[in-house]
Amino acid sequence: MLENSEAETRYQALVSKFRAREYRITPQRLAILRLLAESTDHPSAGRIYQELCDRFPTMSLATVYKTLAVLKEMGEVLELSLGEGENRYDGHNAVPHPHLICTRCGKILDSDVVLDQDVIATAAKASGFKILSHRLDLYGVCPECQKAESGE
Ligand code: ZN
Ligand code: MN
């Protein structure tokens, strides 16, 4: 979970962006936006649905996908496709940033390191590419899984 005020600020920003585009705001949608604003572990659409379906029995998985698609179109969510399993989503920071991925439990966390923009500029210059995006995934075993494995 994010620090309360930070999550609240992000939630309000997402809501006003939805309003500005005149997308229909339903209680389900608000709950999805809030969950995305508060999550730090990059939930999948399926997990968002699971976490909210008790509170909103009429909500469908399609509602979650539609809301994510709208956010994507507005550039307000970062989608991480992992090749296998469901895509994961970062709703509080849509600008590309490094991620730590646990290969045991599948947890995805933000890494605090800032990717050196010089590296990207150098790669662009050397290749002639106009760089549009980038992605840095650091794979490993999270502290919790390390603990579980060492039998503590
Ligand atoms: Zn783990
Ligand atoms: Mn992230």
Side-chain angles (χ1 to χ4, degrees):
M1 284 284 195
L2 279 181
E3 188 92 21
N4 263 349
S5 60
E6 198 187 336
E8 186 60 31
T9 305
R10 181 64 185 147
Y11 169 67
Q12 295 299 343
L14 289 177
V15 173
S16 60
K17 273 169 183 152
F18 254 72
R19 287 229 163 87
R21 300 289 279 271
E22 292 175 358
Y23 284 117
R24 214 156 58 86
I25 310 256
T26 60
Q28 286 96 321
R29 279 214 156 141
L30 289 177
I32 294 167
L33 295 181
R34 181 171 284 288
L35 192 145
L36 280 166
E38 287 177 351
S39 300
T40 52
D41 57 352
H42 308 81
S44 64
R47 225 201 64 212
I48 294 171
Y49 172 73
Q50 274 173 13
E51 285 194 24
L52 298 175
C53 65
D54 282 350
R55 260 169 69 209
F56 302 101
T58 59
M59 187 181 72
S60 69
L61 184 56
T63 305
V64 177
Y65 276 116
K66 180 76 212 301
T67 304
L68 287 167
V70 169
L71 287 169
K72 240 170 76 179
E73 187 216 308
M74 295 193 294
E76 292 299 331
V77 74
L78 190 65
E79 185 178 54
L80 299 172
S81 162
L82 297 170
E84 54 180 45
E86 286 187 276
N87 288 352
R88 307 274 291 264
Y89 297 90
D90 189 332
H92 58 94
N93 184 5
V95 177
H97 54 274
H99 289 100
L100 297 157
I101 302 176
C102 179
T103 56
R104 299 282 199 277
C105 68
K107 170 192 296 163
I108 301 179
L109 298 175
D110 287 338
S111 167
D112 287 336
V113 299
V114 176
L115 191 62
D116 191 345
Q117 293 299 308
D118 286 350
V119 173
I120 296 161
T122 305
K125 211 174 159 195
S127 63
F129 265 57
K130 180 183 172 193
I131 307 293
L132 301 174
S133 185
H134 61 79
R135 189 164 151 186
L136 177 60
D137 295 335
L138 303 164
Y139 290 90
V141 183
C142 75
E144 289 73 28
C145 287
Q146 288 179 52
K147 245 188 201 168
E149 279 167 24
S150 68
E152 273 172 52

Coordinates of all heavy atoms in Angstrom, one line a residue, residues 45 72 105:
A45 N -5.5 -7.9 -13.9 CA -6.9 -7.6 -14.0 C -7.7 -8.7 -13.2 O -8.7 -8.3 -12.5 CB -7.4 -7.7 -15.5
K72 N -5.1 3.0 -20.1 CA -4.0 2.8 -21.0 C -4.1 3.9 -22.2 O -3.1 4.5 -22.5 CB -4.1 1.4 -21.6 CG -2.9 0.6 -21.3 CD -3.1 -0.9 -21.7 CE -3.0 -1.1 -23.2 NZ -3.2 -2.5 -23.6
C105 N 7.3 -16.1 -6.1 CA 5.9 -15.8 -5.8 C 5.2 -14.9 -6.8 O 4.0 -14.7 -6.8 CB 5.8 -15.2 -4.4 SG 6.6 -13.6 -4.3

